[in-house]
Amino acid sequence: MKILFRLICIAASSLVVNNASASDGVNGADESPPLTAPPIIINLNELGIRPIVIDQCKPYLIIGTEGTFYNKSISVETTCKVILTLENVWLKPEGQAPLDVGMNVKLLLIGHNVLTGSDNNPGIKVNQDAFLYINQAEDNTDSITVTGGKNAAGIGGSNGKSSGTVTIGGGNITAQGGEAAAGIGGGNGGSNGSINIDGGTVSATGGTWGAGIGGGRRVKDGGGNGGNLIINGGVITAKGGQYASGIGAGEGGTCGKIEIIDGTITAEGNFNAAGIGNSTNTKNPIGNCLITIQGGNVTALAGKNGGAGIGAGKNGALVTINGGTVNAIGAYGAGIGGGADENGGTVTINGGHVIAHGGEGGGPVYHGSAGIGGGPNSGGNAGNITITGGIVEASGGSSGSAGGGGAGIGGGYAGTGANTMITGGTVNAFGGFNAAGIGGGERGHGGWVTIKGGTITAIGGGVGPYSGAGIGGGSQTGFFQGGCGAQVTIAGGSIKAVRGGPDAEDIGHGRILICDSGSLKNSLGQQVSKRVLTDAINPTNPLPVTLSIPISGPAGSYNYQYAGSGHVEYGRPDPNLYFYLPSNAPVTP
């Protein structure tokens, strides 16, 4: 009965393939198996060592014995849309790929299957113009473990070759790349083609220099790029080999185009590479790495010694987050943005819940990075950061207990805050040691900050006599330059900016020897400053406060939130209200 049931499943699959959609990746071939075609059954225990050639337009069922390796290979040599079902098939041929999908294969899994490639051969070979779709045939315990030989991907390209189109609809897939190759994607010197993951449980690990999912190692003639990746669902774990990203680029390549719509994703880079994004030694423009997160639950962990959680191993990326829950942690790189010595690229957050922590420093060479923005050291400028909505929690990393911090949002250590625009959302930004909450890292100037809306809390970091502004510059340390205030425009929103120590300003410069506060203007371009109004109305039931501001037009009504005696700033309860107003505007409660 069990065999009969499987044959019925395979026959039903042939009906699906005959009317295949782009979602299963089985397209582009000349013809389909006949609707009534019975499957061809091949029992590996009844064959010699000769390879299996699939050359008919019919479904195939290949049966093996779990735990028994066969010195056989499967090669698809027809342009038909072939349905191939593997049941407990363990293959380890010499000098060949265990499975070469040819042009177009729908691969269904029964039981536990293992395909192990030899040197230069993937576990499953998917040439650049080929299509492969993988799914479970019976239930979610159906699985396949695929290992590439040296220079070859687990699933994808062989030595020097890029991969084709791989779509995963379900099943348990474990893919291990060989040396210099991706777990799923390009071989050594090859790039990834297109990968679509719609479901299932996927674990992909790159060999040394290969991405978990994406490109193999870039060589002189090219390769290494992440290609196109779309994740619509499933549980995905991807870990890059040394110098490669978890999802995106192999060593020396760029990440390509990555879109996450749904699913639970954990991506970890390895040594100088991003969890999701670029790898080390990437020098291509940031426009070659586009990362969009629409939803899902995403955790991105950088590789040590210079990678961002999301963005760069070296150069930054174009990162857009529209939804989902995102937790990004850098390692000598930003949580989201630039790697070591590099700027943050372009980061736009329109929604979702985003938690970003900059990498911690490790001594005299690398210092702290921004939560969102630049990596450490002189190149660690913020780039361009825009926040229009969502909940954003960003904290800068530090260098031990001595300082060397990055801004919550802005520059890494010694990096300028560059261009930051906030128009909405709830934003909490905490500077690392001696760095601004929003603006410059330690030794960094504040850059340009424009706030038009949202609820913003920006807390500067401080250690001993050194401190960063809430919004503005980081601290000068010793005789190093830096720490000047930002060019700040406040045109709306609710803003709480708190300096990291008494020698810095809430909005302006960090602790400085020679520098200025920058500028603070309103939407009319008027210079404004913080005005203090002692709250004498009703601290337990705050009411609107009406201010007379004739220089800006008619009097306006401003709602405020009373801080209460529980709010402590530098050890003192703070019962005051703060407004940023033109210097000559009278304040009348």
Side-chain angles (χ1 to χ4, degrees):
M1 291 296 293
K2 193 171 184 181
I3 293 177
L4 176 61
F5 171 73
R6 290 170 184 167
L7 297 185
I8 292 172
C9 288
I10 296 166
S13 297
S14 67
L15 294 175
V16 175
V17 172
N18 193 54
N19 299 282
S21 65
S23 63
D24 67 5
V26 184
N27 51 43
D30 296 333
E31 53 184 302
S32 305
L35 295 179
T36 58
I40 296 175
I41 300 175
I42 300 174
N43 192 323
L44 296 178
N45 297 304
E46 299 173 356
L47 295 177
I49 63 171
R50 66 183 185 275
I52 299 169
V53 177
I54 294 177
D55 56 4
Q56 297 185 50
C57 297
K58 294 182 179 181
Y60 281 75
L61 169 61
I62 300 179
I63 301 172
T65 300
E66 184 173 357
T68 299
F69 274 105
Y70 301 88
N71 183 14
K72 294 181 174 65
S73 62
I74 303 170
S75 177
V76 179
E77 298 182 4
T78 175
T79 58
C80 297
K81 301 174 183 177
V82 173
I83 303 168
L84 173 61
T85 301
L86 301 182
E87 179 181 350
N88 295 321
V89 171
W90 291 43
L91 301 180
K92 191 175 182 181
E94 298 176 1
Q96 301 175 76
L99 173 58
D100 184 339
V101 303
M103 290 295 297
N104 208 326
V105 167
K106 180 173 184 177
L107 179 63
L108 301 178
L109 307 174
I110 297 176
H112 181 42
N113 301 274
V114 178
L115 305 181
T116 302
S118 57
D119 284 357
N120 302 318
N121 289 290
I124 300 178
K125 184 177 180 180
V126 186
N127 289 326
Q128 194 165 355
D129 56 353
F131 295 86
L132 171 66
Y133 174 77
I134 305 174
N135 208 338
Q136 63 201 35
E138 293 185 343
D139 56 48
N140 57 15
T141 64
D142 295 329
S143 67
I144 189 167
T145 298
V146 186
T147 303
K150 183 179 179 180
N151 300 319
I155 301 174
S158 56
N159 186 19
K161 301 295 183 181
S162 298
S163 63
T165 298
V166 177
T167 299
I168 298 173
N172 290 273
I173 291 92
T174 300
Q176 171 68 58
E179 182 179 315
I184 304 176
N188 183 18
S191 296
N192 176 48
S194 295
I195 296 173
N196 303 281
I197 301 176
D198 298 324
T201 300
V202 180
S203 177
T205 304
T208 303
W209 307 303
I213 300 175
R217 183 186 192 184
R218 182 178 179 83
V219 296
K220 182 178 180 181
D221 295 331
N225 299 328
N228 295 302
L229 171 66
I230 299 176
I231 299 176
N232 287 302
V235 178
I236 296 96
T237 302
K239 184 173 183 179
Q242 193 169 12
Y243 303 108
S245 61
I247 296 176
E251 192 270 336
T254 57
C255 82
K257 185 177 181 181
I258 299 168
E259 183 175 12
I260 298 173
I261 298 171
D262 202 356
T264 300
I265 297 95
T266 301
E268 183 177 353
N270 196 333
F271 203 82
N272 279 3
I276 300 175
N278 280 333
S279 67
T280 186
N281 297 330
T282 297
K283 291 300 181 183
N284 291 325
I286 63 172
N288 288 352
C289 183
L290 287 78
I291 302 167
T292 302
I293 299 175
Q294 308 285 11
N297 193 327
V298 180
T299 300
L301 308 174
K304 65 180 182 179
N305 207 38
I310 298 175
K314 285 292 185 179
N315 280 1
L318 296 176
V319 180
T320 301
I321 300 174
N322 295 322
T325 299
V326 179
N327 191 345
I329 300 175
Y332 305 166
I336 302 174
D341 306 315
E342 299 294 340
N343 70 48
T346 298
V347 178
T348 301
I349 299 174
N350 299 315
H353 186 178
V354 179
I355 302 171
H357 181 68
E360 304 289 343
V365 177
Y366 290 113
H367 299 277
S369 302
I372 300 175
N377 300 334
S378 59
N381 299 330
N384 298 286
I385 300 167
T386 301
I387 300 173
T388 68
I391 300 173
V392 179
E393 303 174 52
S395 55
S398 301
S399 178
S401 61
I409 297 175
Y413 172 79
T416 297
N419 297 300
T420 301
M421 168 77 75
I422 302 174
T423 63
T426 298
V427 179
N428 299 312
F430 302 90
F433 288 152
N434 308 334
I438 300 176
E442 180 181 331
R443 293 180 52 202
H445 301 307
W448 293 264
V449 179
T450 300
I451 300 174
K452 295 184 176 181
T455 301
I456 295 94
T457 300
I459 310 295
V463 177
Y466 305 108
S467 54
I471 299 175
S475 176
Q476 288 184 359
T477 53
F479 295 99
F480 292 118
Q481 299 300 309
C484 296
Q487 307 301 307
V488 180
T489 299
I490 297 177
S494 175
I495 303 161
K496 175 184 176 182
V498 180
R499 57 192 173 173
D503 293 332
E505 296 178 311
D506 293 333
I507 298 181
H509 61 69
R511 186 260 190 186
I512 57 172
L513 300 175
I514 302 174
C515 212
D516 59 41
S517 300
S519 66
L520 177 57
K521 297 181 179 180
N522 61 17
S523 60
L524 301 177
Q526 299 166 329
Q527 193 76 23
V528 297
S529 59
K530 182 167 73 172
R531 307 288 295 280
V532 181
L533 176 64
T534 300
D535 184 4
I537 302 175
N538 186 349
T540 62
N541 185 25
L543 301 172
V545 175
T546 300
L547 304 178
S548 174
I549 314 176
I551 193 170
S552 300
S557 180
Y558 297 82
N559 289 311
Y560 69 94
Q561 181 65 50
Y562 175 69
S565 59
H567 174 62
V568 178
E569 184 176 335
Y570 310 122
R572 305 187 305 274
D574 184 5
N576 299 325
L577 302 176
Y578 299 93
F579 299 87
Y580 289 92
L581 304 171
S583 58
N584 59 345
V587 178
T588 304

